Amino acid sequence: MSLKEQITEDMKTAMRAKDAERLGTIRLLLSAMKQKEVDERIELDDVAVVAIVDKLIKQRKDSIAAFEQAARQDLADKEKAEMAVLLAYLPARMSAEEVTAAVQAIVAELGAKGPGDMGKVMGAVKAQLSGKADMGQVSAAVKAALAG
């Protein structure tokens, strides 16, 4: 069963259970997926769905930070609940040590020397680690590897 089919099944389950919060978040995800399909005239595969989920989680993290800074804990809690639902659709993430090791291997493979090679390294890293690791963490690891 593809990730897209799993999300649709989860929506049906949430409907039957009358779980309004979970249902709303899943509908939001399905809407983002449908929008991408219509805009680009493609059928989404699991990698594209994971990218959409990643994007939505990043939006939730940004919103949580803004709401907590504005002392709106009620809205921050709602965003955290949505983020928890979305996290269920991501594959297991790599640890910081695994990310660092993978980045160092790619830097060595490409023969990158300094910060000027950041774009080349990030392109290769993104191709290999997209969906498997947090890209913010990956970017920090690339900067560290190229600075050191």
Side-chain angles (χ1 to χ4, degrees):
M1 176 182 290
S2 74
L3 189 54
K4 187 176 170 184
E5 292 167 347
Q6 178 63 44
I7 293 168
T8 304
E9 287 301 313
D10 288 351
M11 181 184 72
K12 292 174 187 175
T13 303
M15 282 179 172
R16 289 185 196 110
K18 297 186 183 352
D19 186 351
E21 290 83 17
R22 184 172 175 78
L23 178 60
T25 304
I26 293 173
R27 281 184 171 159
L28 183 91
L29 174 57
L30 285 171
S31 172
M33 290 165 46
K34 188 67 170 173
Q35 183 70 43
K36 181 94 166 169
E37 286 180 337
V38 169
D39 286 350
E40 298 183 12
R41 291 180 166 70
I42 57 170
E43 184 72 25
L44 294 177
D45 59 353
D46 284 355
V47 174
V49 172
V50 167
I52 290 171
V53 172
D54 253 345
K55 180 180 172 189
L56 291 174
I57 288 174
K58 183 180 183 318
Q59 289 173 350
R60 297 295 163 286
K61 286 179 181 176
D62 294 344
S63 297
I64 289 167
F67 288 141
E68 286 178 345
Q69 186 176 4
R72 290 296 310 265
Q73 195 57 43
D74 55 329
L75 296 174
D77 291 341
K78 182 179 184 291
E79 295 288 318
K80 286 178 185 175
E82 288 181 2
M83 195 167 79
V85 172
L86 292 170
L87 284 170
Y89 297 113
L90 288 179
R93 294 297 184 149
M94 296 172 71
S95 70
E97 295 80 25
E98 291 171 323
V99 169
T100 303
V103 165
Q104 287 174 346
I106 292 169
V107 167
E109 179 182 314
L110 294 175
K113 299 280 186 257
D117 295 326
M118 177 92 175
K120 179 172 67 171
V121 173
M122 279 304 290
V125 168
K126 191 169 187 177
Q128 287 187 14
L129 302 182
S130 183
K132 298 177 188 170
D134 177 34
M135 284 317 214
Q137 190 179 44
V138 169
S139 177
V142 169
K143 286 177 187 171
L146 292 177

